[in-house]
Amino acid sequence: MTSQTIHEEVREHYARAAISAAGGGSCCGNDETIGASLYSALERDELPDAAVLASLGCGNPTAVADLHPGERVLDLGSGGGIDVLLSARRVGPTGRAFGLDMTDEMLALAARNAAEAGATNVEFLKGHIEAIPMPAASVDVVISNCVVNLAADKPAVFREIARVLRPGGRLGISDIVADDDLSAAERAERGSYAGCIAGALSFAEYRSGLLAAGLDDVSITATHEVATGMQSAIIKATKPIDAAPSVTLVGRDLPVAVAGSCCGGEGCC
């Protein structure tokens, strides 16, 4: 599959999920969707129903990111906005939570959910996680919920994470990871790209990719099996405090949707 076909397959899948969730239905219509069950009842009660219905992840990154008041948080593949809204509450009025998604339908749903939740310290951006439309060293924490496995160019994602993190900043994400003995073909046999399986990295590939991007203190902790040889995992890393300044590349200005607006005309299972 080419990068373009991967992006289109994923976009179509999550556009349908957003439309379904916006109408009050199950996002995928099958038992593969476990995202909402990974959040506590208290967390779910804090959020609009559509945000919970559109939770398509494999974990709960806000539970492991250790967010603090005043921090700036970026959620990669923010979908209906569940993790952005939870992060916004944790960082408080002096902090800010950003969500990045490539799907117009998800961005529109997230903006609606933010408005319904009364969140004023959130911002949603349209773009790909391989080319984050934010300045270098602009966020304290990067989170993501089962989205990196969907990316067509994962080394680019890791480089972008390192670029936008401030020195001393940290990564705390949930993702699907393959056992090291599974080949790419064997991963594809277990599920589709849009279903978060075929594009998963192995444990060794994930670790080496983050280290190559300049992050350290990498840890990958499996939490539960989602298919034979495929694990949901918590991935953490930090950007060294003495990291050299990153360069902000040109051409990253893309449409932005804020609470109460509509950006149009990602999590997973």
Side-chain angles (χ1 to χ4, degrees):
M1 296 178 69
T2 66
S3 295
Q4 183 176 351
T5 57
I6 290 171
H7 283 152
E8 186 58 23
E9 178 184 336
V10 172
R11 189 202 64 77
E12 289 180 355
H13 180 85
Y14 291 100
R16 291 193 299 270
I19 292 169
S20 180
S26 171
C27 66
C28 297
N30 59 43
D31 60 4
E32 291 182 353
T33 303
I34 60 174
S37 66
L38 300 170
Y39 297 84
S40 69
L42 180 60
E43 288 173 318
R44 295 195 299 270
D45 288 345
E46 294 178 1
L47 302 170
D49 290 342
V52 177
L53 287 171
S55 173
L56 311 178
C58 56
N60 181 350
T62 59
V64 300
D66 191 26
L67 302 180
H68 304 291
E71 289 188 318
R72 291 166 63 88
V73 184
L74 169 63
D75 180 19
L76 301 181
S78 49
I82 185 170
D83 293 314
V84 175
L85 296 179
L86 289 173
S87 296
R89 290 177 180 268
R90 284 157 177 72
V91 301
T94 60
R96 195 155 186 84
F98 300 87
L100 174 64
D101 206 282
M102 69 174 181
T103 307
D104 288 336
E105 292 85 352
M106 277 295 186
L107 288 164
L109 177 62
R112 193 187 82 179
N113 288 333
E116 183 178 339
T120 58
N121 60 336
V122 304
E123 192 171 330
F124 294 100
L125 300 88
K126 182 179 179 180
H128 295 132
I129 63 176
E130 296 96 333
I132 299 171
M134 295 185 71
S138 59
V139 297
D140 301 290
V141 187
V142 171
I143 65 173
S144 183
N145 197 346
C146 207
V147 170
V148 173
N149 65 79
L150 300 171
D153 185 348
K154 295 174 180 64
V157 175
F158 295 149
R159 291 192 298 269
E160 283 290 87
I161 290 171
R163 182 185 66 82
V164 300
L165 279 174
R166 292 172 175 166
R170 60 198 186 278
L171 170 73
I173 68 176
S174 299
D175 207 5
I176 301 298
V177 183
D179 289 348
D180 288 331
D181 60 350
L182 287 185
S183 67
E186 289 171 327
R187 298 171 211 176
E189 291 172 355
R190 286 157 170 76
S192 68
Y193 218 103
C196 305
I197 300 297
L201 295 174
S202 70
F203 283 83
E205 289 167 344
Y206 224 119
R207 180 180 299 277
S208 64
L210 291 172
L211 291 172
L215 301 176
D216 59 16
D217 298 325
V218 176
S219 68
I220 305 174
T221 305
T223 58
H224 59 278
E225 189 173 65
V226 298
T228 303
M230 310 291 293
Q231 315 292 329
S232 177
I234 294 169
I235 298 100
K236 295 183 178 181
T238 58
K239 182 173 181 176
I241 193 69
D242 58 352
S246 300
V247 176
T248 296
L249 302 181
V250 298
R252 296 182 182 274
D253 294 330
L254 292 170
V256 174
V258 297
S261 71
C262 178
C263 59
E266 163 6 150
C268 70
C269 60

